[in-house]
Amino acid sequence: MGKQTTEMLKGTLEGIVLAILAVSPAYGYEITARLRDEGFSDIAEGTVYALLVRIEQRGLVDVEKVPSEKGPPRKVYTINAQGGAYLDEFWRTWSFLAERIEQLHHRIERTNEEGE
Amino acid sequence: MAAKWYELITGSLDDKKAYRRYKARIAALPEPYGTAAKAFERYFMYNGGITDGDSAVMLTMLNDFADLWERAAVDQTPVEDIVGDDPVEFAEAFAAAYAGKRWIDKERNRLTETIQNLEGKEER
């Protein structure tokens, strides 16, 4: 993943992870795996882990520790009401941004074409 | 449990025990996870800047950190998959998740307040 992709993803990854959790609860590795399936191929597990910690501290998810056969218990994350509200806002913001940027893109392309 | 008087000088004994437990967990990690974890820990100590007063935040962070590496060791996840291609960025992102109580926050608040008060004076 290029540097620019990483930079752009930073602001949206919380929303993306909450969107994934809105489908079903998951633990860290599952979330990373699903992100990779969605085409975010080089995403680091640690980045997702840090993000999960952050959204947990902000009260957007509920966490349950589930024992695993080996190693420490797995923390399973479930989106809660506050997280749901955050996700709604995320989608509104996303649509707004995507629409504006697309308009800007078209306007610049048109201007360039007229200029030729 | 009420803190004993000598803990004022030595710091909380419970915290010390928790810290030692954390250290033992990191020491028990197989390679290459042990070396990786210690390298990040060193970076956190320099850069973490977590308030002395808030050892609880620090301990939560360190325990989460130990969880992460123990999990990785058990699953045999390559270190690269955990930290990505920029270890510094990973370290910053990880520490930032606990940044609610960083010393810099005091200065951030001070800056914000100063500027807000300025604006108040400008209203005519």
Side-chain angles (χ1 to χ4, degrees), chain B residues 9-117:
Chain B
I9 301 161
T10 61
S12 149
L13 279 185
D14 286 342
D15 285 353
K16 278 223 168 84
K17 281 181 203 153
Y19 185 68
R20 266 190 226 123
R21 274 198 300 275
Y22 156 77
K23 279 298 218 184
R25 289 175 71 187
I26 296 297
L29 287 169
E31 287 307 323
Y33 304 99
T35 303
K38 279 173 212 143
F40 280 106
E41 183 190 87
R42 183 191 156 88
Y43 187 84
F44 291 150
M45 294 306 151
Y46 273 99
N47 192 53
I50 289 166
T51 330
D52 316 48
D54 225 317
S55 49
V57 176
M58 176 74 136
L59 285 171
T60 307
M61 170 173 146
L62 292 177
N63 280 319
D64 286 349
F65 185 68
D67 283 349
L68 173 66
W69 288 107
E70 281 176 357
R71 192 74 257 164
V74 169
D75 297 340
Q76 297 193 315
T77 312
V79 171
E80 215 182 272
D81 285 4
I82 300 289
V83 308
D85 46 17
D86 188 346
V88 174
E89 194 174 315
F90 164 68
E92 304 277 340
F94 191 86
Y98 302 86
K101 308 265 163 61
R102 285 166 68 141
W103 62 268
I104 190 72
D105 288 352
K106 278 189 204 153
E107 289 306 318
R108 285 182 180 140
N109 290 340
R110 179 179 293 186
L111 177 60
T112 308
E113 270 170 36
T114 307
I115 299 303
Q116 270 171 354
N117 290 343

Side-chain angles (χ1 to χ4, degrees), chain A residues 13 43-52 54, chain B residues 81-84 90 93:
Chain A
L13 203 54
I43 206 130
E45 206 177 320
T47 307
V48 175
Y49 190 84
L51 186 146
L52 288 168
R54 199 160 65 237
Chain B
D81 285 4
I82 300 289
V83 308
F90 164 68

Side-chain angles (χ1 to χ4, degrees), chain A residues 47-94:
Chain A
T47 307
V48 175
Y49 190 84
L51 186 146
L52 288 168
V53 165
R54 199 160 65 237
I55 61 178
E56 178 187 349
Q57 300 212 336
R58 284 168 52 198
L60 304 178
V61 287
D62 295 331
V63 180
E64 196 193 348
K65 284 194 170 184
V66 179
S68 72
E69 337 70 83
K70 273 165 93 189
R74 290 184 195 277
K75 284 165 105 178
V76 174
Y77 296 84
T78 310
I79 191 168
N80 60 24
Q82 215 177 318
Y86 180 96
L87 186 57
D88 286 343
E89 199 193 323
F90 171 77
W91 288 132
R92 278 197 300 277
T93 312
W94 176 254

Side-chain angles (χ1 to χ4, degrees), chain A residues 23-37:
Chain A
V23 179
S24 71
Y27 60 87
Y29 177 73
E30 286 176 325
I31 295 165
T32 315
R34 276 192 230 169
L35 282 169
R36 288 187 180 145
D37 288 346

